Amino acid sequence: MSSCKTLLDALRAGAHDQALAALYALDGTQDSVDKARDRACRTAESFMDAFAPAEDAQTALFSGPGRTEIGGNHTDHQHGRVLCGSVDLDMLACAAPNGANLIRIRSEGYPTLEISLDSLLPRKEEENTSAALVRGVAAKVQELGYKLVGFDACATSTVLSGSGLSSSAAYEVLIGNILNHFCCGGSLDPVTIAKIGQYAENVYFGKPCGLMDQMGSSVGGAVFIDFNDPANPVVEKVDYDFTKSGHALCIVDTASSHGDLTDDYAAVTREMGAVAAHFGKTVLRDIPREDFRAAIPTLRKEYGDRAVLRAMHFYDDDHRALLESAALKNGDFDFFLSLVNQSGLSSALHLQNTWSIHDPRQQAIPLALAEAERLLDGGACRVHGGGFAGTIQAWVPNSDLEQFKAGMEALLGEGKCHILHIRPQGGCVVAEEIFPPARQRFP
């Protein structure tokens, strides 16, 4: 019997239910375990049908989760501090070495992607494509001194498109974990895999992103990150069980488009950078708060009030991320919620990333936040991710969850309020079957 068939039989028999429950059944229900098992089985079946792997091909199941920004809105690009976390929506893949110098990936709903390992230089025509991410991750792994082997994979995703949950980071972390397993003997740690993903996105995909997305996906759980030295960020897992908080995490899709917002995003970094340049620095983290405060009258004249307000937001939200991390460590969820609300208010009033000045009639984020505040009693809400359009984040008391979801979907449409969980595990090998005997890698 082939390794893939052995894995599929083990999944069907419930042999890997414990691993699946740790990733997807964070609400503690058997229904969630059943759904996770069915999805894993379908992924393995699709892999067998698509690639007919060799009998001795060591087949494994991999996961790359989406991530949510919990604290520190637009602070990372100024070398600030953030709090983020992996969520129970992910990209799941069944994969095995193929004996060829070729990576082949069939993602559900898309044609099969093929990347030759013979040439891994960046390609201009691949920018902004999945091929660029795969090629970039493979190139970096090779650059680190590992011998690449080709593999086949079938992947499926539950990461919501345009939700700020970073499907690109989930994909990079997924590919990074597959290569780590088949080529590196599992020697790459989660922080290194995150950096490899960022490299692929910066150099191959063509997006000058920071490292928060990849770190939140790769490390897992709640993660506090200090980017004071971006090349060597301080990464700390925050030990807190969100299932014991009495609150649910909701990501609400306002159905507003992220299209044509490049200028809005660029203006944030440009204006913060202009304030930093006034002091002869590149980023605000290098300027003491008291120096900034003393220079505000001059900064207003030189760069305008909005630049000053956005710099104010950086200093406040940078510190808030630290306080949020400490609140969770101390088990003070009420204080954590108050900080989330403060962050949301600062994003709206100071950072000003809840609507675009290029289309002032579209203010779906402020409208959703206003409705969320009306429905919430003892929770918190704020803009989620980059802002200007897209999603909001809410921490909703479990007792009010049904009413909150119904209220938000009455405003925005059915299926727009998504109930998520902070999952403790980042990118990982979920399960594998090898000869002999079958064994499980996680937990």
Side-chain angles (χ1 to χ4, degrees), residues 20 26 85-86 129 253 256 335 354 359 379-380 436:
L20 295 169
L26 300 174
S86 57
T129 69
D253 181 2
S256 51
F335 184 43
T354 59
D359 185 12

Side-chain angles (χ1 to χ4, degrees), residues 281-294:
K281 302 293 184 181
T282 304
V283 293
L284 292 174
R285 182 68 181 272
D286 293 336
I287 303 156
R289 182 197 290 259
E290 56 271 22
D291 292 356
F292 161 71
R293 298 292 307 184

Side-chain angles (χ1 to χ4, degrees), residues 46-297:
S46 296
F47 176 71
M48 290 183 67
D49 292 342
F51 296 108
E55 290 283 316
D56 60 348
Q58 297 184 0
T59 309
L61 199 65
F62 301 86
S63 172
R67 71 98 188 104
T68 183
E69 173 198 283
I70 302 172
N73 194 215
H74 279 278
T75 56
D76 58 330
H77 54 71
Q78 295 300 305
H79 296 186
R81 293 168 287 196
V82 301
L83 181 66
C84 57
S86 57
V87 298
D88 56 341
L89 300 181
D90 73 340
M91 291 190 175
L92 185 71
C94 187
N98 58 21
N101 206 36
L102 183 72
I103 292 174
R104 296 183 296 188
I105 302 173
R106 178 172 294 182
S107 297
E108 189 174 28
Y110 295 91
T112 300
L113 172 68
E114 293 192 4
I115 298 293
S116 171
L117 299 179
D118 292 331
S119 176
L120 294 176
L121 294 174
R123 299 186 178 185
K124 186 69 177 176
E125 68 273 14
E126 285 184 351
E127 286 187 359
N128 298 302
T129 69
S130 298
L133 297 178
V134 176
R135 195 182 302 276
V137 170
K140 193 63 177 178
V141 170
Q142 184 179 69
E143 183 183 311
L144 291 174
Y146 296 97
K147 179 176 175 57
L148 297 177
V149 298
F151 67 84
D152 296 327
C154 267
T156 182
S157 177
T158 56
V159 182
L160 306 170
S161 177
S163 62
L165 296 175
S166 195
S167 58
S168 59
Y171 192 66
E172 293 152 15
V173 168
L174 178 72
I175 302 304
N177 273 274
I178 295 174
L179 289 172
N180 186 32
H181 185 64
F182 293 141
C183 308
C184 313
S187 63
L188 301 178
D189 61 80
V191 172
T192 301
I193 291 175
K195 290 180 178 179
I196 290 170
Q198 182 198 25
Y199 170 83
E201 194 152 344
N202 290 172
V203 178
Y204 283 70
F205 190 82
K207 180 180 177 182
C209 68
L211 188 57
M212 179 184 70
D213 292 351
Q214 292 82 4
M215 204 73 81
S217 175
S218 186
V219 175
V223 185
F224 175 75
I225 312 169
D226 187 335
F227 289 109
N228 193 35
D229 179 2
N232 299 286
V234 176
V235 181
E236 180 184 359
K237 289 198 74 165
V238 179
D239 186 17
Y240 183 79
D241 185 353
F242 285 87
T243 64
K244 304 291 176 49
S245 70
H247 289 71
L249 169 62
C250 293
I251 299 297
V252 182
D253 181 2
T254 68
S256 51
S257 173
H258 279 93
D260 300 322
L261 294 176
T262 301
D263 289 345
D264 294 287
Y265 294 129
V268 174
T269 54
R270 182 175 64 248
E271 290 175 10
M272 289 185 180
V275 172
H278 177 84
F279 297 90
K281 302 293 184 181
T282 304
V283 293
L284 292 174
R285 182 68 181 272
D286 293 336
I287 303 156
R289 182 197 290 259
E290 56 271 22
D291 292 356
F292 161 71
R293 298 292 307 184
I296 284 178

